[in-house]
Amino acid sequence: FWDFGDGITSIEQNPLHSYDTTGIYTATLISGNGICRDTTYYTIIVLLNTGIISSINNHNLTVKLSPNPAITVLRVKVKEDKGIEEYAIILYDMQGKPVKQIATKQNENVIEISGLEEGVYGIRVLGNNVVGSEKIVKMSEPQISR
């Protein structure tokens, strides 16, 4: 069972799908044999509807995270050598499942992470087929004993 994240689903083994609008979509594949089931997630970023891109742009994209480890908020700074107009920022768990996603035109963003469980997360920033990635450690707030 495929769920493309835009309201369209399929039960074909190898479906083809096109997205009509820009955005961040989580495609989900659920497979099973009646006894066992497994789910896989994949984040798809549609920034510009420009057709098929045959090569990756030669941009230098750097992602800086602070603080790291973080407790309640994460600041994401993106620096690149050419003018990228829009970014997708995806925070995902270690199984690859997206837990936070934003589309932005800002080079500096603050992401609320207080609701996430303690652990290690990956962050991926995409812009014009350029990818930057880092890892973040999410810590719980310290408990104050009285």
Side-chain angles (χ1 to χ4, degrees):
F1 176 80
W2 291 89
D3 181 341
F4 298 104
D6 62 350
I8 306 296
T9 62
S10 175
I11 57 171
E12 293 180 34
Q13 184 174 357
N14 297 303
L16 294 176
H17 182 70
S18 297
Y19 292 91
D20 294 331
T21 58
T22 61
I24 302 172
Y25 303 95
T26 300
T28 306
L29 170 62
I30 302 171
S31 60
N33 64 3
I35 299 171
C36 297
R37 209 167 91 152
D38 195 15
T39 304
T40 301
Y41 304 92
Y42 188 77
T43 301
I44 298 168
I45 313 300
V46 180
L47 294 176
L48 300 172
N49 187 7
T50 59
I52 296 172
I53 298 173
S54 59
S55 64
I56 294 177
N57 296 328
N58 187 18
H59 295 268
N60 183 14
L61 189 133
T62 304
V63 179
K64 298 222 184 228
L65 306 175
S66 66
N68 192 3
I71 296 173
T72 57
V73 295
L74 175 63
R75 287 175 180 74
V76 180
K77 288 186 180 183
V78 179
K79 184 178 178 190
E80 38 77 28
D81 67 352
K82 303 217 183 210
I84 297 175
E85 293 181 18
E86 189 173 17
Y87 299 96
I89 301 174
I90 303 113
L91 184 67
Y92 56 94
D93 64 19
M94 288 295 97
Q95 287 73 44
K97 180 180 178 185
V99 294
K100 294 259 183 184
Q101 306 175 77
I102 64 169
T104 181
K105 294 182 179 192
Q106 307 298 317
N107 289 66
E108 295 186 26
N109 294 274
V110 176
I111 300 174
E112 172 68 39
I113 61 169
S114 62
L116 297 178
E117 292 184 24
E118 189 174 273
V120 177
Y121 293 84
I123 202 158
R124 209 173 277 140
V125 179
L126 297 97
N128 292 356
N129 286 335
V130 180
V131 178
S133 62
E134 289 290 332
K135 295 233 184 306
I136 181 77
V137 175
K138 163 62 169 95
M139 294 177 56
S140 296
E141 287 195 54
Q143 300 299 315
I144 300 172
S145 57
R146 296 187 185 258

